[in-house]
Amino acid sequence: MQADNRASIKESLLVVDDNEINRAVLVGTFQDEYNIIEAENGKEALDILLQEKNSISAILLDIVMPVMDGFAFLEEFRKRSLTGVIPVFLITADTSERNMYRGYQLGVMDIIEKPIVPYFVKRRVNSIIELFRARKSLSQTVRHQHGQIMEKDEEINKLNYALIETLSTAIELRSGESGSHVKRLSRLTRFLLLELREICPDQIKVTDEEIEQIAAAAIMHDVGKIAISDAILNKPGKLTAEEFEIMKTHTIKGCEILSLVPNYQDNVLYRYAYDICRHHHERWDGGGYPDGLKGDEITIWSQVVSIADVFDALTSERVYKKAFPVDTAVDMIYSGQCGKFNPFLLKAFEEVLKKYDYAAQK
Amino acid sequence: MNLEEVAKALAIDLDASVARFAGNRTLYARFLKKFPDDQSMTQLQTAIEQKDSQALERSAHTLKGVCANLGLSRLADLASAVVSAVRNGDADSLYADTGLLNDCRKEYDRVCKLITELQ
C-alpha cells in the first residue's frame, strides 16, 4: 500500500540553467515523470535546495551561468554535505576533458552533453535516481532494524539484570539479610569507581560502561553462599575455626556456579563476576582469602567490592551482630580491624561518604 | 514558410529537435521563434567590441548550447569554433581577423531572418 502511495506522489527534479530554451528542453523531457522546479543560477538553486532538500530527487545543472556558476554551486553543495545524497548531472555544451574532470571531482554522477537526446538522458538520469532511491531505502531499513535490535538488546539486558538480582537477593535472604544489601553494594561500587577514576585517572582507566558492568557483576559476589549450609550461614554466634574454613569456600563455590552457567563465559559480565566472586575477601596486605593475593595482584574492582561489602555489613544488622553506626564502621575500616585496604581506595571511600549521605540511603 | 521549409533551409534535424521538446512540434516552433530574442549573440558582439575574452568565451558557449538544443547545428558549430579559439589563447587574432566572427554573425542573421518568416 505504501509503495503505491509513494508512486502517486511525483518526485521533484531541480533544473538549473540561465537560458529559458535550455530549461524548456529539460522540462519537456521530464515533466511527465517529475515535478520540475526551475532555477536560473546556482544561487537560486541553492536557496530552493535548502528549503526542499527532501523532495528533490536529482539536480540537472548547467555550468556557465551568471551570479553563481555550476562549479561554484557544486562547491557549496559539497560544503553542505549534500554530495552523495542528491545526484547531480552536469548538462553542458562544453564537454572538454578539463571540465569533465572538474565535474566528476566535485561529485557529479554523470555529465550529459548538449544538445541532449531525450531518450538517453531519461535513461541515464532515471537509473541513477533509482540507485539513490534503493540505497536510501536500504539504509533506512538497516537503521530501523538496528533500532529494533538495540531495543531487544536493552530488554534482554534488563531481564538479565533482574534475574541476577532476584537470584542474589534470594541467597541473601537465606542468610537472614535484609534483601537490599546487594543493591546498596552495587551503588556503592559504582560511586567508588567514579571517585577513584577522578582521584587517580592515570591508574584507574575504566569507562562509564565498564563501571556499569562492574556494578552489575558486584551483585553476584556472594552467589557461592548457596552452597553453604544453613547451620553455618545462620549461626547466631561466632563461627568455629572449622566452620569459618567452610564459610570461606563461598568464594570458590561462587566461581564454580558461574562457570556452570551455559554460555555465560561469553558475557561481558562474566569476567568481572568471576573475579569478584573469588577475590572480594582478599586484602591489600595479603591477609585475605582464598588466594592471599597482595596489593595490585587484586583487581581494582574486587578491591572496591570488598570495601563496599565490609562497610555495608558493618552498618547492617546480621544474625551474629547488631548494626554499627556509620562513624564506628568508618573507624573500624580505617583502623584495619577488617583488614588492610589500598590507601587510594580509602581516600576515595572517604570522599564518597562525604558526597553521598550513605546513612540516609538505608 | 512552414516548419519543414525553415528546417530544410537551416539544415535542422527536425525529428531530433522536436524530440527535445517532448515531441511537441508546436512547443518546438514556439521556442524556435523565441531564438531572435535570445541575448547570447548580443553579448557576444559586446564582448568583441570590448575585447573581453572571458565574456566572449561565455557568450559563445551559451550560444552554442542554445543552438544545439534548437537543432541550429551550423550556428552551433561556428559558436563552438569561437569557444575553441578563445580557449587556445587566440582571442587577439579573433579581434584582428574577423573572418570567423563574420561567418558567425552572417549565419545568425540568416537564421533570425528565416525564423521570422516562419508561419
Side-chain angles (χ1 to χ4, degrees):
Chain A
M1 284 304 277
Q2 232 173 356
D4 290 343
N5 283 341
R6 204 185 57 175
S8 65
I9 300 166
K10 272 192 194 176
E11 294 176 46
S12 296
L13 276 192
L14 179 56
V15 170
V16 195
D17 197 311
D18 57 325
N19 189 285
E20 192 195 355
I21 295 172
N22 292 341
R23 285 200 307 273
V25 166
L26 291 169
V27 171
T29 303
F30 288 103
Q31 64 188 358
D32 289 347
E33 289 171 80
Y34 299 91
N35 169 41
I36 314 281
I37 305 171
E38 295 179 54
E40 290 190 15
N41 59 60
K43 177 76 177 59
E44 249 186 62
L46 207 59
D47 291 343
I48 293 169
L49 196 61
L50 295 179
Q51 280 169 24
E52 320 233 357
K53 191 161 45 182
N54 296 324
S55 65
I56 292 172
S57 304
I59 300 167
L60 308 182
L61 183 69
D62 182 26
I63 298 178
V64 181
M65 290 180 290
V67 188
M68 182 190 280
D69 72 10
F71 290 131
F73 170 84
L74 286 171
E75 302 270 9
E76 293 297 321
F77 191 68
R78 188 161 63 178
K79 266 188 223 156
R80 288 167 171 78
S81 307
L82 290 167
T83 311
V85 179
I86 303 172
V88 180
F89 299 83
L90 278 186
I91 313 280
T92 178
D94 178 7
T95 46
S96 63
E97 214 170 288
R98 191 180 57 121
N99 261 359
M100 289 184 49
Y101 264 117
R102 195 158 164 215
Y104 282 124
Q105 271 166 354
L106 284 166
V108 306
M109 290 304 298
D110 203 352
I111 297 170
I112 294 162
E113 190 173 7
K114 282 177 195 165
I116 64 157
V117 180
Y119 180 74
F120 296 149
V121 176
K122 268 195 208 177
R123 295 299 293 251
R124 285 160 78 175
V125 169
N126 282 340
S127 60
I128 299 280
I129 287 178
E130 190 51 48
L131 175 72
F132 272 64
R133 196 182 289 148
R135 192 196 285 169
K136 200 166 145 191
S137 112
L138 188 64
S139 78
Q140 267 167 356
T141 309
V142 169
R143 204 175 312 138
H144 179 66
Q145 288 175 344
H146 179 72
Q148 283 182 323
I149 290 169
M150 293 303 282
E151 248 170 58
K152 289 278 170 219
D153 202 43
E154 178 70 23
E155 238 171 72
I156 290 168
N157 270 340
K158 274 189 191 154
L159 187 64
N160 252 338
Y161 194 85
L163 283 173
I164 290 165
E165 207 176 273
T166 306
L167 177 63
S168 303
T169 305
I171 294 162
E172 196 181 304
L173 285 173
R174 193 175 148 246
S175 52
E177 292 165 28
S178 69
S180 52
H181 169 64
V182 288
K183 282 185 197 151
R184 288 195 306 269
L185 178 81
S186 176
R187 277 174 66 90
L188 190 52
T189 297
R190 180 183 303 117
F191 292 149
L192 281 168
L193 283 167
L194 288 168
E195 190 62 36
L196 272 171
R197 189 173 65 178
E198 209 176 303
I199 297 175
C200 29
D202 294 337
Q203 284 113 307
I204 311 298
K205 290 185 167 67
V206 283
T207 63
D208 286 348
E209 200 188 351
E210 284 164 344
I211 290 180
E212 287 314 308
Q213 289 164 358
I214 294 166
I219 290 174
M220 290 175 270
H221 71 292
D222 268 347
V223 77
K225 282 191 179 166
I226 204 157
I228 308 296
S229 74
D230 281 346
I232 295 175
L233 209 54
N234 292 325
K235 185 176 174 184
K238 204 172 161 27
L239 298 180
T240 65
E242 196 185 339
E243 284 165 342
F244 190 53
E245 284 309 310
I246 293 171
M247 186 63 181
K248 279 173 164 180
T249 62
H250 82 273
T251 52
I252 294 161
K253 297 276 185 200
C255 293
E256 280 170 15
I257 291 167
L258 289 179
S259 65
L260 288 174
V261 181
N263 303 325
Y264 195 36
Q265 279 92 329
D266 301 329
N267 192 290
V268 280
L269 287 191
Y270 183 80
R271 169 176 156 237
Y272 296 122
Y274 189 95
D275 187 74
I276 289 168
C277 264
R278 191 169 181 104
H279 298 305
H280 71 282
H281 283 287
E282 303 286 358
R283 288 295 177 267
W284 187 247
D285 58 356
Y289 64 86
D291 298 318
L293 298 184
K294 218 187 252 187
D296 287 332
E297 287 170 4
I298 317 161
T299 59
I300 193 65
W301 41 89
S302 287
Q303 292 184 45
V304 165
V305 172
S306 63
I307 199 168
D309 189 30
V310 165
F311 177 72
D312 198 73
L314 288 172
T315 51
S316 308
E317 191 180 329
R318 295 282 164 93
V319 282
Y320 53 89
K321 65 176 259 302
K322 289 235 175 289
F324 292 108
V326 170
D327 292 345
T328 314
V330 171
D331 285 344
M332 289 169 78
I333 289 171
Y334 276 84
S335 63
Q337 289 180 51
C338 309
K340 291 267 186 274
F341 292 99
N342 182 342
F344 277 124
L345 186 56
L346 288 172
K347 177 78 190 136
F349 180 60
E350 195 185 332
E351 293 301 320
V352 167
L353 288 183
K354 263 192 247 166
K355 277 186 196 171
Y356 307 98
D357 187 356
Y358 199 73
Q361 283 166 14
K362 289 204 136 188
Chain B
M1 282 177 99
N2 66 23
L3 190 56
E4 278 79 9
E5 288 163 343
V6 171
K8 199 166 176 227
L10 291 173
I12 292 171
D13 180 344
L14 195 55
D15 287 343
S17 301
V18 169
R20 272 192 288 280
F21 292 83
N24 184 333
R25 289 170 77 100
T26 318
L27 187 67
Y28 169 68
R30 204 166 82 211
F31 277 102
L32 192 61
K33 281 184 184 163
K34 279 188 171 195
F35 179 72
D37 301 328
D38 185 82
Q39 292 305 300
S40 30
M41 191 63 197
T42 319
Q43 285 159 1
L44 190 142
Q45 305 265 34
T46 315
I48 292 163
E49 282 157 25
Q50 298 177 346
K51 301 198 168 157
D52 180 344
S53 61
Q54 231 181 346
L56 180 60
E57 182 188 342
R58 203 163 46 226
S59 52
H61 170 86
T62 305
L63 183 63
K64 174 186 165 191
V66 176
C67 291
N69 267 335
L70 289 171
L72 301 165
S73 45
R74 272 189 210 157
L75 191 50
D77 289 344
L78 288 165
S80 182
V82 175
V83 174
S84 309
V86 179
R87 286 218 179 123
N88 292 332
D90 292 344
D92 287 338
S93 55
L94 265 185
Y95 304 134
D97 169 20
T98 53
L100 176 57
L101 293 171
N102 277 336
D103 287 350
C104 203
R105 204 163 8 223
K106 252 190 268 170
E107 177 65 11
Y108 177 78
D109 291 342
R110 194 174 76 90
V111 165
C112 289
K113 186 165 176 296
L114 279 164
I115 287 174
T116 42
E117 284 171 19
L118 176 61
Q119 295 296 307

PDB file of all heavy atoms in Angstrom, chain A residues 3-4 22 53 101 110 113 124 130 148 161 245 298 314 324 338 343:
ATOM      1  N   ALA A   3       3.891   1.649  -0.968  1.00  0.00           N
ATOM      2  CA  ALA A   3       4.624   1.821  -2.213  1.00  0.00           C
ATOM      3  C   ALA A   3       3.739   2.493  -3.257  1.00  0.00           C
ATOM      4  O   ALA A   3       4.173   3.355  -3.996  1.00  0.00           O
ATOM      5  CB  ALA A   3       5.121   0.479  -2.715  1.00  0.00           C
ATOM      6  N   ASP A   4       2.440   2.106  -3.275  1.00  0.00           N
ATOM      7  CA  ASP A   4       1.508   2.700  -4.230  1.00  0.00           C
ATOM      8  C   ASP A   4       1.369   4.208  -3.985  1.00  0.00           C
ATOM      9  O   ASP A   4       1.366   4.990  -4.912  1.00  0.00           O
ATOM     10  CB  ASP A   4       0.130   2.048  -4.112  1.00  0.00           C
ATOM     11  CG  ASP A   4       0.170   0.620  -4.618  1.00  0.00           C
ATOM     12  OD1 ASP A   4       1.143   0.275  -5.345  1.00  0.00           O
ATOM     13  OD2 ASP A   4      -0.736  -0.140  -4.300  1.00  0.00           O
ATOM     14  N   ASN A  22      16.999  26.277 -22.967  1.00  0.00           N
ATOM     15  CA  ASN A  22      17.638  25.075 -22.428  1.00  0.00           C
ATOM     16  C   ASN A  22      16.795  24.438 -21.318  1.00  0.00           C
ATOM     17  O   ASN A  22      16.676  23.219 -21.233  1.00  0.00           O
ATOM     18  CB  ASN A  22      19.018  25.403 -21.868  1.00  0.00           C
ATOM     19  CG  ASN A  22      19.992  25.784 -22.970  1.00  0.00           C
ATOM     20  OD1 ASN A  22      19.763  25.472 -24.139  1.00  0.00           O
ATOM     21  ND2 ASN A  22      21.066  26.464 -22.603  1.00  0.00           N
ATOM     22  N   LYS A  53      15.021  20.278   0.353  1.00  0.00           N
ATOM     23  CA  LYS A  53      16.024  19.223   0.293  1.00  0.00           C
ATOM     24  C   LYS A  53      15.420  17.823   0.178  1.00  0.00           C
ATOM     25  O   LYS A  53      15.892  16.994  -0.570  1.00  0.00           O
ATOM     26  CB  LYS A  53      16.899  19.322   1.545  1.00  0.00           C
ATOM     27  CG  LYS A  53      18.121  18.495   1.508  1.00  0.00           C
ATOM     28  CD  LYS A  53      19.154  18.954   2.507  1.00  0.00           C
ATOM     29  CE  LYS A  53      18.619  19.263   3.881  1.00  0.00           C
ATOM     30  NZ  LYS A  53      19.650  19.751   4.786  1.00  0.00           N
ATOM     31  N   TYR A 101      36.698  16.413 -15.849  1.00  0.00           N
ATOM     32  CA  TYR A 101      37.479  16.059 -14.661  1.00  0.00           C
ATOM     33  C   TYR A 101      36.974  16.830 -13.449  1.00  0.00           C
ATOM     34  O   TYR A 101      36.722  16.274 -12.398  1.00  0.00           O
ATOM     35  CB  TYR A 101      38.966  16.390 -14.853  1.00  0.00           C
ATOM     36  CG  TYR A 101      39.788  15.215 -15.310  1.00  0.00           C
ATOM     37  CD1 TYR A 101      40.442  15.222 -16.540  1.00  0.00           C
ATOM     38  CD2 TYR A 101      39.934  14.091 -14.494  1.00  0.00           C
ATOM     39  CE1 TYR A 101      41.197  14.152 -16.970  1.00  0.00           C
ATOM     40  CE2 TYR A 101      40.682  13.012 -14.915  1.00  0.00           C
ATOM     41  CZ  TYR A 101      41.316  13.043 -16.149  1.00  0.00           C
ATOM     42  OH  TYR A 101      42.060  11.986 -16.558  1.00  0.00           O
ATOM     43  N   ASP A 110      27.039  12.184 -13.406  1.00  0.00           N
ATOM     44  CA  ASP A 110      27.130  11.957 -14.842  1.00  0.00           C
ATOM     45  C   ASP A 110      27.211  13.318 -15.538  1.00  0.00           C
ATOM     46  O   ASP A 110      26.758  14.325 -14.999  1.00  0.00           O
ATOM     47  CB  ASP A 110      25.884  11.191 -15.313  1.00  0.00           C
ATOM     48  CG  ASP A 110      26.153  10.441 -16.627  1.00  0.00           C
ATOM     49  OD1 ASP A 110      27.223  10.649 -17.223  1.00  0.00           O
ATOM     50  OD2 ASP A 110      25.279   9.650 -17.042  1.00  0.00           O
ATOM     51  N   GLU A 113      25.961  15.825 -22.534  1.00  0.00           N
ATOM     52  CA  GLU A 113      26.301  16.869 -23.489  1.00  0.00           C
ATOM     53  C   GLU A 113      25.058  17.444 -24.162  1.00  0.00           C
ATOM     54  O   GLU A 113      24.121  16.740 -24.487  1.00  0.00           O
ATOM     55  CB  GLU A 113      27.238  16.291 -24.557  1.00  0.00           C
ATOM     56  CG  GLU A 113      27.834  17.361 -25.435  1.00  0.00           C
ATOM     57  CD  GLU A 113      28.896  16.807 -26.384  1.00  0.00           C
ATOM     58  OE1 GLU A 113      29.076  15.580 -26.443  1.00  0.00           O
ATOM     59  OE2 GLU A 113      29.549  17.621 -27.068  1.00  0.00           O
ATOM     60  N   ARG A 124      19.573   7.671 -18.454  1.00  0.00           N
ATOM     61  CA  ARG A 124      20.734   7.886 -17.586  1.00  0.00           C
ATOM     62  C   ARG A 124      20.315   8.488 -16.249  1.00  0.00           C
ATOM     63  O   ARG A 124      20.750   8.042 -15.189  1.00  0.00           O
ATOM     64  CB  ARG A 124      21.757   8.778 -18.298  1.00  0.00           C
ATOM     65  CG  ARG A 124      22.510   8.003 -19.380  1.00  0.00           C
ATOM     66  CD  ARG A 124      23.141   8.914 -20.391  1.00  0.00           C
ATOM     67  NE  ARG A 124      24.363   9.529 -19.907  1.00  0.00           N
ATOM     68  CZ  ARG A 124      25.143  10.296 -20.689  1.00  0.00           C
ATOM     69  NH1 ARG A 124      24.799  10.525 -21.935  1.00  0.00           N
ATOM     70  NH2 ARG A 124      26.243  10.814 -20.192  1.00  0.00           N
ATOM     71  N   GLU A 130      17.118   5.870  -9.440  1.00  0.00           N
ATOM     72  CA  GLU A 130      16.687   4.582  -8.906  1.00  0.00           C
ATOM     73  C   GLU A 130      17.747   4.021  -7.945  1.00  0.00           C
ATOM     74  O   GLU A 130      17.429   3.508  -6.881  1.00  0.00           O
ATOM     75  CB  GLU A 130      16.436   3.611 -10.072  1.00  0.00           C
ATOM     76  CG  GLU A 130      15.766   2.313  -9.690  1.00  0.00           C
ATOM     77  CD  GLU A 130      14.504   2.527  -8.861  1.00  0.00           C
ATOM     78  OE1 GLU A 130      13.678   3.368  -9.266  1.00  0.00           O
ATOM     79  OE2 GLU A 130      14.355   1.882  -7.814  1.00  0.00           O
ATOM     80  N   GLN A 148      15.618  -1.647  16.302  1.00  0.00           N
ATOM     81  CA  GLN A 148      14.894  -2.763  16.903  1.00  0.00           C
ATOM     82  C   GLN A 148      15.830  -3.667  17.694  1.00  0.00           C
ATOM     83  O   GLN A 148      15.504  -4.107  18.796  1.00  0.00           O
ATOM     84  CB  GLN A 148      14.209  -3.583  15.806  1.00  0.00           C
ATOM     85  CG  GLN A 148      12.944  -2.923  15.280  1.00  0.00           C
ATOM     86  CD  GLN A 148      12.278  -3.782  14.226  1.00  0.00           C
ATOM     87  OE1 GLN A 148      12.966  -4.425  13.429  1.00  0.00           O
ATOM     88  NE2 GLN A 148      10.961  -3.790  14.212  1.00  0.00           N
ATOM     89  N   TYR A 161      19.571  -8.602  34.182  1.00  0.00           N
ATOM     90  CA  TYR A 161      19.882  -7.903  35.419  1.00  0.00           C
ATOM     91  C   TYR A 161      18.865  -8.278  36.500  1.00  0.00           C
ATOM     92  O   TYR A 161      19.220  -8.558  37.640  1.00  0.00           O
ATOM     93  CB  TYR A 161      19.847  -6.398  35.160  1.00  0.00           C
ATOM     94  CG  TYR A 161      20.476  -5.573  36.246  1.00  0.00           C
ATOM     95  CD1 TYR A 161      21.852  -5.347  36.261  1.00  0.00           C
ATOM     96  CD2 TYR A 161      19.697  -5.038  37.264  1.00  0.00           C
ATOM     97  CE1 TYR A 161      22.429  -4.593  37.265  1.00  0.00           C
ATOM     98  CE2 TYR A 161      20.271  -4.287  38.281  1.00  0.00           C
ATOM     99  CZ  TYR A 161      21.644  -4.064  38.269  1.00  0.00           C
ATOM    100  OH  TYR A 161      22.208  -3.324  39.266  1.00  0.00           O
ATOM    101  N   GLU A 245      36.382 -22.070  57.970  1.00  0.00           N
ATOM    102  CA  GLU A 245      37.019 -22.609  56.760  1.00  0.00           C
ATOM    103  C   GLU A 245      35.962 -22.962  55.703  1.00  0.00           C
ATOM    104  O   GLU A 245      36.151 -22.726  54.515  1.00  0.00           O
ATOM    105  CB  GLU A 245      37.870 -23.843  57.083  1.00  0.00           C
ATOM    106  CG  GLU A 245      39.214 -23.523  57.750  1.00  0.00           C
ATOM    107  CD  GLU A 245      40.012 -22.461  56.995  1.00  0.00           C
ATOM    108  OE1 GLU A 245      40.193 -22.587  55.763  1.00  0.00           O
ATOM    109  OE2 GLU A 245      40.447 -21.479  57.664  1.00  0.00           O
ATOM    110  N   ILE A 298      45.370  -7.889  43.307  1.00  0.00           N
ATOM    111  CA  ILE A 298      43.903  -7.909  43.370  1.00  0.00           C
ATOM    112  C   ILE A 298      43.391  -6.845  42.401  1.00  0.00           C
ATOM    113  O   ILE A 298      43.873  -5.710  42.421  1.00  0.00           O
ATOM    114  CB  ILE A 298      43.398  -7.565  44.797  1.00  0.00           C
ATOM    115  CG1 ILE A 298      44.228  -8.296  45.848  1.00  0.00           C
ATOM    116  CG2 ILE A 298      41.910  -7.865  44.935  1.00  0.00           C
ATOM    117  CD1 ILE A 298      44.113  -7.694  47.238  1.00  0.00           C
ATOM    118  N   LEU A 314      28.973  -3.993  58.110  1.00  0.00           N
ATOM    119  CA  LEU A 314      29.147  -3.359  59.424  1.00  0.00           C
ATOM    120  C   LEU A 314      27.930  -2.513  59.793  1.00  0.00           C
ATOM    121  O   LEU A 314      27.476  -2.522  60.938  1.00  0.00           O
ATOM    122  CB  LEU A 314      30.404  -2.474  59.440  1.00  0.00           C
ATOM    123  CG  LEU A 314      31.759  -3.184  59.441  1.00  0.00           C
ATOM    124  CD1 LEU A 314      32.896  -2.167  59.263  1.00  0.00           C
ATOM    125  CD2 LEU A 314      31.963  -3.983  60.728  1.00  0.00           C
ATOM    126  N   PHE A 324      26.313  -1.348  63.274  1.00  0.00           N
ATOM    127  CA  PHE A 324      27.147  -0.275  63.845  1.00  0.00           C
ATOM    128  C   PHE A 324      26.759   1.055  63.213  1.00  0.00           C
ATOM    129  O   PHE A 324      26.387   1.086  62.034  1.00  0.00           O
ATOM    130  CB  PHE A 324      28.631  -0.525  63.568  1.00  0.00           C
ATOM    131  CG  PHE A 324      29.194  -1.714  64.287  1.00  0.00           C
ATOM    132  CD1 PHE A 324      29.530  -2.885  63.595  1.00  0.00           C
ATOM    133  CD2 PHE A 324      29.410  -1.668  65.680  1.00  0.00           C
ATOM    134  CE1 PHE A 324      30.057  -3.982  64.260  1.00  0.00           C
ATOM    135  CE2 PHE A 324      29.938  -2.763  66.342  1.00  0.00           C
ATOM    136  CZ  PHE A 324      30.265  -3.932  65.635  1.00  0.00           C
ATOM    137  N   CYS A 338      39.158  -4.607  59.960  1.00  0.00           N
ATOM    138  CA  CYS A 338      38.528  -5.500  58.978  1.00  0.00           C
ATOM    139  C   CYS A 338      39.513  -5.840  57.861  1.00  0.00           C
ATOM    140  O   CYS A 338      39.131  -6.149  56.733  1.00  0.00           O
ATOM    141  CB  CYS A 338      37.294  -4.841  58.371  1.00  0.00           C
ATOM    142  SG  CYS A 338      36.159  -4.218  59.611  1.00  0.00           S
ATOM    143  N   PRO A 343      45.444   2.340  50.072  1.00  0.00           N
ATOM    144  CA  PRO A 343      45.315   3.720  50.556  1.00  0.00           C
ATOM    145  C   PRO A 343      44.509   4.620  49.610  1.00  0.00           C
ATOM    146  O   PRO A 343      43.736   5.460  50.070  1.00  0.00           O
ATOM    147  CB  PRO A 343      46.761   4.214  50.646  1.00  0.00           C
ATOM    148  CG  PRO A 343      47.619   3.013  50.573  1.00  0.00           C
ATOM    149  CD  PRO A 343      46.846   1.893  49.994  1.00  0.00           C
TER     150      PRO A 343
END
